[in-house]
Amino acid sequence: MSDDAPQRRLAGLEAVFRRIATTRMRGVPVLNPALSVQAVGFGPDPLRTTPGAAPTMLGVLVTPWFMNLLRLPLQPVDGHDATALQAAGLAPLGHTVVRRYGEHALDFTGAHEAEGLGAWEQASLFSPMFAFADQPAAVATAREVMRLLRQSWSETSSPPSPPRHPREGEDPRTPAAAPFVGARLRGHDGAGRHDGVGKPDRERTR
């Protein structure tokens, strides 16, 4: 793999979602016109969900309609191929699993997009995005998300617990909502100025 592979992968990610913003999402009232698509803080993902799984990147994707934490494989994985997903350690399309980064338990849902992007996992942080006045405010919050995650991981001496599927009747969003998004981000730029801003919802990529 070339040294610029991560940069090319992120450029592809941004390009796909810029096209979505101007096609499928065009005119949808949840769009914040002050924001644009930007990949923020991506770096090596310290979590390995499957022994021997290919490396993934961890970072935040900011768009005019959502902010999601992504686990993005360095190489495209077919989201419709169950064997490929299992080998890559990714959740199946539409399925939610809880992953732990240090003290933060986050619910990740399997997602897939064509155009060469393939499969990834995403945890919803904010949607819609009207709490953010401009792009710098959204990017500042995204960077703080990554700072807290990586700090928590580095400070946790015990190995991460394996992912688990939510129990029957359990809201898979609960681990993310209370300890992380709601409590830890409240008060940062663009966050916490309106009631309910820190509550992730089920808005997914379209």
Side-chain angles (χ1 to χ4, degrees):
M1 183 181 299
S2 63
D3 292 341
D4 64 345
Q7 288 72 30
R8 288 188 287 105
R9 188 81 164 114
L10 295 178
L13 172 69
E14 292 178 332
V16 166
F17 277 89
R18 287 189 185 111
R19 283 193 288 271
I20 292 173
T22 58
T23 54
R24 280 178 268 171
M25 295 299 295
R26 184 177 182 180
V28 178
V30 298
L31 292 176
N32 182 344
L35 303 182
S36 59
V37 173
Q38 185 174 347
V40 179
F42 275 82
D45 182 1
L47 185 64
R48 289 290 179 268
T49 58
T50 301
T56 55
M57 292 185 288
L58 183 71
V60 175
L61 180 63
V62 173
T63 77
W65 66 100
F66 71 75
M67 183 189 297
N68 286 351
L69 179 68
L70 267 60
R71 299 185 64 247
L72 180 69
L74 279 172
Q75 294 289 341
V77 175
D78 185 352
H80 301 291
D81 185 334
T83 301
L85 288 173
Q86 185 175 11
L90 296 174
L93 180 63
H95 289 228
T96 297
V97 295
V98 178
R99 310 251 186 236
R100 181 171 291 278
Y101 287 87
E103 64 179 343
H104 304 300
L106 302 167
D107 60 299
F108 281 84
T109 300
H112 173 88
E113 193 64 48
E115 304 183 62
L117 187 56
W120 70 92
E121 290 181 356
Q122 58 189 14
S124 179
L125 298 175
F126 297 95
S127 182
M129 297 286 284
F130 296 116
F132 299 96
D134 52 30
Q135 188 73 7
V139 169
T141 297
R143 293 193 187 284
E144 183 67 3
V145 168
M146 295 308 302
R147 187 190 70 80
L148 290 171
L149 274 180
R150 295 195 183 281
Q151 175 180 295
S152 179
W153 181 276
S154 65
E155 291 176 351
T156 303
S157 56
S158 58
S161 59
R164 64 176 179 83
H165 291 273
R167 294 183 293 273
E168 184 176 357
E170 177 185 9
D171 184 347
R173 296 172 292 168
T174 301
F180 186 68
V181 177
R184 297 305 295 271
L185 294 187
R186 191 174 295 118
H188 294 296
D189 290 348
R193 291 199 295 266
H194 302 275
D195 291 341
V197 169
K199 298 176 182 178
D201 62 13
R202 289 192 177 276
E203 184 71 14
R204 303 297 177 194
T205 56
R206 299 164 186 263

